Amino acid sequence: MGRVEGKVAFITGAARSQGRSHALRLAQEGADIIAVDIVGPVESVHAYPMATAEDLAETVRQVEALDRRIIATQADVRDSAALKAVMDDGVAQLGRLDIVSANAGIFQMSPALELDDAAWQETIDINLTGVWNTCKAALPHLIEGGRGGSIILTSSTAGLKGLANTVHYTAAKHGVVGIMRTLANEFAQYSIRVNSVHPTTVNTIMIQNEDVWGLFDPANANPTQDSAVEAFKRINALPVPWVEPVDISNAVLFLASDEARFITGVTLPVDAGNLVK
């Protein structure tokens, strides 16, 4: 028996990176998956390309290779009605809902006074309101199921401390903690646990791009991953520049499993010591 055998998990931003990793890790431990992703452009994000339909199809392929069921749909977490429809359909097909991973998010760095209004709003809409929309769509199913459940919200170390050049991102990720703490109180009566995970830099396309390398290596006109790596290392206490997606997935799995059955309202760092540095 896997650690989440027979359960169903809903995951946003599931086409690649952390979202795909969460889907695979939960599937490896016995869960079926309802996966959503925008699989399209986001206007304010220029540093890296967004996920594609092909990326989401690859998540499906890898989950099915583990002999688990998966329903994957294009949806934007900013669209509350669309997200509810996807959730309702997935639960109807798979029969239940037990785990929610509100993972979808965007990241772009900008000095505060160079940040335009549209980029601020888009980050708040996706990284904060999108998390609430996910919870709002999931909670009725968790209550109706009568088995409790686990909601895991992806925040960041920037949800627990300030991070220069990310005022919009940091504000949204702090807000995620507010959602988590409120829902942990309000829905504990139904044995629904709500926690947040707080990664340091994760080795995905969100940080592995020239814009982010340039902010970590500003003296270099042509920054690269190699030129920025020492600066990345300096933000963590452990001698690593970043962690891998599976490191976050293992934390999500723990919080989703019965091993964490009495853990709720917790901000769980997976940060290589970033917060104690």
Side-chain angles (χ1 to χ4, degrees):
M1 293 285 289
R3 293 159 72 188
V4 288
E5 190 76 30
K7 296 185 177 182
V8 172
F10 181 83
I11 303 170
T12 64
R16 66 178 183 195
S17 300
Q18 289 188 56
R20 178 188 289 169
S21 179
H22 299 347
L24 295 177
R25 192 71 190 91
L26 291 168
Q28 287 167 354
E29 293 290 337
D32 293 326
I33 307 297
I34 306 167
V36 300
D37 200 288
I38 192 172
V39 294
V42 172
E43 188 173 344
S44 66
V45 179
H46 308 292
Y48 59 92
M50 301 302 291
T52 65
E54 289 75 20
D55 291 322
L56 188 57
E58 178 61 17
T59 297
V60 171
R61 187 193 70 78
Q62 292 191 35
V63 169
E64 289 181 341
L66 296 168
D67 199 27
R68 303 313 309 169
R69 296 178 294 170
I70 178 170
I71 297 166
T73 308
Q74 179 179 358
D76 187 334
V77 294
R78 292 171 290 185
D79 187 337
S80 179
L83 206 58
K84 180 181 184 301
V86 170
M87 185 83 73
D88 293 348
D89 179 66
V91 173
Q93 292 192 55
L94 297 180
R96 59 189 290 164
L97 181 67
D98 306 277
I99 301 160
V100 177
S101 169
N103 163 79
I106 58 172
F107 178 71
Q108 67 280 63
M109 300 182 77
S110 171
L113 295 182
E114 296 177 16
L115 179 68
D116 64 48
D117 292 347
W120 165 274
Q121 193 61 58
E122 200 156 52
T123 296
I124 297 298
D125 288 347
I126 293 173
N127 290 12
L128 181 58
T129 305
V131 168
W132 164 236
N133 287 342
T134 302
C135 295
K136 183 170 63 173
L139 280 162
H141 292 289
L142 293 174
I143 294 168
E144 184 179 354
R147 296 175 296 271
S150 177
I151 299 176
I152 304 106
L153 310 183
T154 299
S155 181
S156 166
T157 52
L160 297 172
K161 71 175 186 178
L163 179 63
N165 301 308
T166 66
V167 63
H168 49 336
Y169 182 83
T170 296
K173 293 301 188 179
H174 271 70
V176 166
V177 176
I179 292 173
M180 179 274 288
R181 287 175 170 156
T182 301
L183 299 184
N185 274 288
E186 192 166 343
F187 293 93
Q189 62 182 307
Y190 302 106
S191 298
I192 296 169
R193 300 180 295 104
V194 190
N195 297 285
S196 53
V197 291
H198 297 261
T200 183
T201 46
V202 182
N203 187 20
T204 72
I205 197 169
M206 278 190 172
I207 68 160
Q208 302 297 7
N209 61 74
E210 289 188 6
D211 282 19
V212 176
W213 298 333
L215 283 167
F216 276 80
D217 184 22
N220 192 333
N222 297 291
T224 64
Q225 182 185 90
D226 288 343
S227 73
V229 70
E230 290 304 318
F232 274 103
K233 283 183 179 179
R234 286 194 290 272
I235 70 172
N236 297 325
L238 295 176
V240 295
W242 42 70
V243 298
E244 297 298 326
V246 71
D247 296 308
I248 317 306
S249 302
N250 285 332
V252 169
L253 171 62
F254 167 68
L255 290 171
S257 75
D258 289 343
E259 296 163 22
R261 62 182 178 157
F262 296 128
I263 298 176
T264 194
V266 163
T267 56
L268 177 61
V270 187
D271 69 341
N274 177 283
L275 290 169
V276 301
K277 184 69 179 286

